[in-house]
Amino acid sequence: MAPGLEELAAFYAALARVFAFGDAEVYALAGVFARIGAAVSLAPGFGETSIPVRIKLGAAVALTALAWPAVAPLASARPAPETAFDLGFLIGAEAICGLALGLSVRMLIFALQYAGSIAAQATSVAQILGGGVTPDPMPALGALLTLAGIALALAAGLAEKLVAAIIASYAVLPYGALPI
């Protein structure tokens, strides 16, 4: 085994004993966490650069705990990976699925930024106040639209809708399969 894999296997074994999970359930939980963590890293409100990584990690853990009861039968049906390559493929495939989901939602924020830039250019107020909300220079109108869009999405229950979308994604993007 490669360095570090023994510690990872020992950690998963300890986690299985604590929660009375079998090996398949622990690896399934890690896969579900990889999908949700990747989606959270790009989701509006959670994936912003101003949000600390620990907060994003806590949100991913909390959303995984919410999604696990619905996803557990689908994910646990697959046998536990037997080699490190199988585990890496499983985690990688789930992370790619999560990134695809998060990026699809993030495109709405990109559209708001673009619309704000166009509106600012049309009204000749581009860069009147400079950037502030995002690390990239953006017209004030674009920053206002972006911030308003994120606030509206969070007020409308983005977290619940994100969990529901991730649960529904297992029907389209099966557990452990690459979205090809």
Side-chain angles (χ1 to χ4, degrees):
M1 282 188 156
L5 288 180
E6 292 89 11
E7 291 87 9
L8 185 63
F11 172 73
Y12 282 159
L15 188 63
R17 284 192 304 274
V18 168
F19 291 109
F21 284 172
D23 286 343
E25 287 86 6
V26 171
Y27 289 119
L29 184 62
V32 171
F33 176 74
R35 184 179 287 205
I36 292 176
V40 165
S41 71
L42 289 174
F46 298 109
E48 305 305 319
T49 56
S50 59
I51 306 290
V53 175
R54 290 181 182 174
I55 302 296
K56 293 178 190 179
L57 182 63
V61 168
L63 294 177
T64 301
L66 288 173
W68 176 249
V71 176
L74 301 172
S76 299
R78 183 180 175 135
E82 296 181 10
T83 65
F85 177 76
D86 292 342
L87 177 61
F89 181 81
L90 173 74
I91 299 296
E94 288 297 301
I96 289 171
C97 291
L99 287 173
L101 290 169
L103 189 60
S104 65
V105 177
R106 175 57 68 177
M107 289 295 182
L108 297 173
I109 298 302
F110 291 153
L112 285 175
Q113 290 173 345
Y114 189 66
S117 295
I118 291 173
Q121 290 293 329
T123 58
S124 299
V125 293
Q127 298 298 342
I128 194 168
L129 298 176
V133 177
T134 62
D136 301 325
M138 180 190 313
L141 194 55
L144 179 67
L145 280 175
T146 302
L147 189 60
I150 291 170
L152 184 63
L154 290 173
L158 175 71
E160 296 88 5
K161 289 174 179 51
L162 184 63
V163 170
I166 289 172
I167 291 170
S169 75
Y170 281 96
V172 178
L173 304 168
Y175 175 77
L178 281 174
I180 297 176

